[in-house]
Amino acid sequence: MKKYIMLFVSVSILLLGACTDDRAGSDDVHNLTLAHNHPTTHPVHESLEKFKEAVEGRSDGDISISLYPNGELGDEREVIELTQTGAVDITKVSAAALESFRPEYSIFGVPYMFDSEEEFEEKMNDPEVADTIYQSSEDIGFVGLTYFDAGMRSIYTAEREIETTEDMAGLKVRVQPSATSVDMIEALGGTPTPMAYGEVYTALQSGIIDAAENNLTSLVSSGHGEVSDHWFYTEHAIVPDMLIINNQLLEGMSEEHQKIVQDAADVANEFHKDVWDEATKEAADEAQNEMNVEFHEVDKSSFEEAAQPLHEEMKNDEMMGPIYELFRGDESDGEG
Ligand code: GCU
């Protein structure tokens, strides 16, 4: 049923686009669709509202944006494909979902890639790093506009308790549908189960999986705290959310409009930093006090050690080696 609704919505958007979106660019007026998979209460949605407001205000209504939250237009893989063809104009997806389209995005799935959130921010704000990532998909139909901090990912379980990687044995952990995410949980000792984000709640509830790994907001905004008893601060990855746009559309806009879209993305990125920190704190508080999720520290060194072979692999990979070097810089010879 959901598929039919999605198909209907996609066709309607295409028809709507055909009527109101002048892709030929003669008068440079655009009615854009923007898809993402979070509920409207999620901080990313707020930041996308900010993006919409900035684009519409700055373009004096020449560019308007309709937001489609809640995965209404499809899961992350589906909306990336729709963005490639231009059926959807702009999409917010996790960097992990982009990995099967461009390998550069797999860098974020290497556990303990960044030593801290500060280091992650520093790299993402380095124009050389950002451009390498954002432009990597230019030849397959889309480019990155900006990223949204999605925090540190940790493991949470329906019932079981963990402290070291030894306790991960046999633990079925939902991972994002990406090869690096599968390798990551395998390296950390668990049994990875790739699945779309929208299916995680039911899978945890029904026992199809024993655990998931994500940021703190997932406990509250997607209700995962209702079906999880424990949160473990493994803090094993920082996988940003990416805002991508169909590049034919972008290139077809006047320079002025291209700049408006890019500047609005930068505004939304800055705005997101503030709402994200606040939302994360609130989520931890609500999960602990209202959903009765127990929070635990783990023996992080055991997890960091288990991640080392994946660093070696990435570093020595012909294609990914230079990207690893770009992100790790001076540290690439030291401990991960
Ligand atoms: C984060 C991210 C989502 C992604 C999800 C996942 O919540 O913001 O875009 O879908 O992780 O684990 O799949």
Side-chain angles (χ1 to χ4, degrees):
M1 183 65 184
K2 191 168 169 235
K3 289 265 168 208
Y4 290 115
I5 294 172
M6 267 169 45
L7 187 68
F8 173 74
V9 176
S10 307
V11 170
S12 310
I13 285 170
L14 275 173
L15 291 175
L16 188 71
C19 298
T20 58
D21 182 356
D22 182 3
R23 293 292 167 81
S26 57
D27 57 1
D28 211 16
V29 169
H30 304 270
N31 180 9
L32 308 180
T33 50
L34 192 166
H36 72 93
N37 68 349
H38 283 302
T40 52
T41 50
H42 194 278
V44 156
H45 185 81
E46 273 183 65
S47 305
L48 293 172
E49 292 269 18
K50 189 77 189 172
F51 172 66
K52 170 185 161 75
E53 184 189 302
V55 168
E56 292 179 351
R58 290 168 188 223
S59 69
D60 217 3
D62 278 355
I63 311 176
S64 61
I65 297 183
S66 306
L67 295 179
Y68 292 85
N70 291 314
E72 277 166 26
L73 301 187
D75 64 28
E76 294 204 315
R77 184 174 179 89
E78 288 163 333
V79 290
I80 297 169
E81 285 168 357
L82 291 172
T83 309
Q84 275 188 298
T85 63
V88 163
D89 300 303
I90 306 176
T91 291
K92 189 297 300 167
V93 286
S94 171
L98 289 163
E99 179 185 320
S100 47
F101 294 82
R102 282 305 310 174
E104 283 82 350
Y105 282 98
S106 63
I107 200 75
F108 301 104
V110 179
Y112 302 104
M113 185 64 205
F114 305 99
D115 292 335
S116 62
E117 294 229 45
E118 290 71 33
E119 191 189 295
F120 162 80
E121 287 295 339
E122 201 182 295
K123 295 292 173 196
M124 295 305 281
N125 288 293
D126 173 341
E128 192 193 348
V129 175
D131 280 357
T132 304
I133 297 294
Y134 296 164
Q135 297 303 322
S136 64
S137 55
E138 201 184 357
D139 59 341
I140 55 164
F142 59 89
V143 289
L145 283 173
T146 192
Y147 72 95
F148 295 121
D149 181 9
M152 288 210 179
R153 295 175 78 98
S154 283
I155 294 172
Y156 46 104
T157 66
E159 288 174 7
R160 235 163 85 177
E161 297 203 27
I162 56 172
E163 196 185 342
T164 70
T165 50
E166 279 179 25
D167 306 319
M168 296 280 289
L171 191 76
K172 275 186 274 162
V173 187
R174 176 269 170 172
V175 291
Q176 293 180 277
S178 91
T180 318
S181 305
V182 168
D183 292 349
M184 171 184 78
I185 287 299
E186 263 170 11
L188 301 182
T191 307
T193 306
M195 138 186 332
Y197 185 58
E199 293 164 29
V200 178
Y201 183 100
T202 315
L204 275 169
Q205 191 179 38
S206 62
I208 290 176
I209 50 173
D210 308 309
E213 54 81 49
N214 216 314
N215 54 49
L216 282 159
T217 59
S218 306
L219 293 178
V220 174
S221 73
S222 299
H224 294 178
E226 291 168 11
V227 286
S228 304
D229 286 348
H230 303 281
W231 170 274
F232 302 94
Y233 280 107
T234 49
E235 299 184 321
H236 54 269
I238 303 179
V239 182
D241 278 347
M242 308 301 304
L243 191 64
I244 60 167
I245 184 167
N246 174 276
N247 60 353
Q248 225 182 322
L249 162 73
L250 189 64
E251 283 160 20
M253 286 180 178
S254 62
E255 269 181 34
E256 187 198 343
H257 281 173
Q258 288 187 25
K259 183 166 173 356
I260 285 173
V261 170
Q262 185 57 63
D263 288 352
D266 296 343
V267 166
N269 167 291
E270 280 301 320
F271 173 82
H272 185 75
K273 287 179 184 152
D274 295 334
V275 287
W276 179 259
D277 285 348
E278 199 48 38
T280 302
K281 282 185 208 128
E282 279 173 20
D285 190 57
E286 190 174 332
Q288 203 161 4
N289 298 318
E290 287 167 42
M291 298 171 133
N292 298 321
V293 178
E294 286 180 28
F295 282 69
H296 311 263
E297 296 298 332
V298 292
D299 173 3
K300 217 160 150 187
S301 60
S302 116
F303 287 85
E304 282 167 345
E305 212 173 292
Q308 282 318 299
L310 294 186
H311 282 257
E312 291 306 313
E313 216 176 283
M314 211 36 105
K315 204 191 302 184
N316 297 325
D317 184 86
E318 201 182 329
M319 198 257 132
M320 287 304 294
I323 307 287
Y324 184 89
E325 180 68 23
L326 192 62
F327 273 84
R328 298 289 297 186
D330 301 341
E331 290 172 82
S332 58
D333 290 331
E335 286 289 289

